Amino acid sequence: MEEFIDNVKILINTLGYKVLVPVPKANDETIYLYCKGFGASAKGFVSAGGFTVLEGSTVSDHTVPSLETKGKSYYNLRNALIKDGTISDRVFTRDYEFKAPSAASAVILGHTSNGNVDWKTADGTKLKDL
């Protein structure tokens, strides 16, 4: 049975779905980062697979028109997260790991974004400066 589950994990992962992979959890050494703007306020941290946004983070109430054309993958990801319930009423209902900080900040802010600049520590240090 365990071998079967391992095979299913490999297959699902190959297809790009993160179904049986646990979302990373923060530990005592985790540096929290914040992304704010346009009615959005999110908290997260750098994780092994990219960047994890924490449950309770809020996304902007709108997206700019150019996100649908210039940032189409982020636009589609945001809509997919809303559709599957990860984002409900503009709030993350569970922790979610993005592949990159820029993907996380674009989904949260509703426009294309440089995550290395838009994610900052509580004292204002940018992710790229850590």
Side-chain angles (χ1 to χ4, degrees):
M1 187 63 161
E2 288 180 28
E3 183 178 348
F4 174 76
I5 291 173
D6 288 340
N7 290 338
V8 169
K9 285 180 184 179
I10 292 168
L11 249 171
I12 290 174
N13 236 0
T14 303
L15 295 172
Y17 298 101
K18 296 181 182 179
V19 177
L20 300 174
V21 179
V23 176
K25 297 293 178 196
N27 59 38
D28 294 338
E29 297 174 12
T30 299
I31 298 172
Y32 290 104
L33 299 153
Y34 303 87
C35 182
K36 298 180 181 189
F38 299 104
S41 180
K43 180 179 179 180
F45 59 92
V46 176
S47 53
F51 194 90
T52 299
V53 173
L54 299 177
E55 177 182 349
S57 296
T58 58
V59 300
S60 66
D61 59 354
H62 70 282
T63 59
V64 297
S66 63
L67 185 65
E68 193 171 355
T69 56
K70 295 180 181 174
K72 190 168 183 108
S73 62
Y74 300 144
Y75 179 80
N76 291 338
L77 177 56
R78 180 175 165 135
N79 288 334
L81 293 175
I82 291 169
K83 186 176 179 180
D84 77 10
T86 300
I87 299 172
S88 178
D89 295 323
R90 297 183 41 227
V91 177
F92 277 80
T93 59
R94 60 182 171 265
D95 295 352
Y96 183 82
E97 185 177 35
F98 289 87
K99 292 183 180 178
S102 293
S105 59
V107 166
I108 288 161
L109 297 174
H111 62 78
T112 55
S113 165
N114 181 342
N116 289 317
V117 174
D118 288 331
W119 285 102
K120 300 174 184 171
T121 61
D123 66 4
T125 304
K126 296 174 186 171
L127 174 58
K128 72 175 186 169
D129 295 329
L130 292 179

